[in-house]
Each structure stands twice: as C-alpha cells, then as structure tokens.
C-alpha cells in the first residue's frame, strides 16, 4: 500500500461546521498538494462529522488503505 505524500486535517468547528468554509479548506489543500506534484486526492469527513481529512498521492495507489487520522492531545 502506497502512503500519501501530503496529509492535512482539521477539527476546527468554524471550518467543519460551515459547508463553504469546508469546501474552501479542501480546495486550498488540493492546490497546495498539486503545487508539490499531487495528482490523486482523497477527501474524508469524519464519521461524527467533526473533522476533515485531505490526503494526496503523486500517483494513484492500487490500495489507498484506511483514512490516516492523526490525533493530538491539546495543551
């Protein structure tokens, strides 16, 4: 399974909770990844609807695997 070279996520309620803001967030990640050679993106909304995940590969993988959510403890 090929790993994506570009991964970004957000749980910011002002982004996730607003459809236009979420679309803009995904669009910006797509442009950033494309500028670095990305050609195959995957867009994921968390099961609870409280997070957005963007992953991108330079070449379409045969197996994308499960979404690569990263959790971090806030201070």
């Amino acid at each position: 399974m090929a790993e994506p070279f570009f991964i970004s996520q957000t749980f910011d309620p002002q982004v996730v909770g607003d459809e236009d803001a979420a679309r803009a967030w995904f669009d910006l990640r797509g442009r950033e990844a494309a500028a670095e050679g990305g050609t195959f993106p995957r867009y994921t909304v968390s099961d609870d609807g409280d997070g957005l995940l963007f992953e991108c590969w330079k070449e379409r993988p045969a197996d994308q695997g499960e979404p690569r959510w990263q959790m971090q403890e806030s201070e």
Side-chain angles (χ1 to χ4, degrees):
M1 170 177 51
E3 291 296 314
F5 82 99
F6 189 103
I7 300 173
S8 185
Q9 69 181 21
T10 185
F11 287 88
D12 181 339
Q14 292 181 338
V15 174
V16 178
D18 180 294
E19 187 175 328
D20 291 335
R23 188 179 325 272
W25 185 86
F26 277 129
D27 287 346
L28 179 58
R29 301 293 85 77
R31 289 192 302 274
E32 291 172 341
E36 294 182 26
T39 63
F40 187 80
R42 176 167 66 177
Y43 308 88
T44 305
V45 177
S46 67
D47 291 339
D48 293 334
D50 62 350
L52 306 176
L53 174 66
F54 177 87
E55 300 164 282
C56 193
W57 291 260
K58 291 189 177 183
E59 295 180 14
R60 183 179 183 145
D63 179 3
Q64 296 173 25
E66 293 294 316
R68 292 155 179 84
W69 294 101
Q70 300 286 318
M71 302 307 287
Q72 179 176 322
E73 186 175 332
S74 60
E75 296 179 28

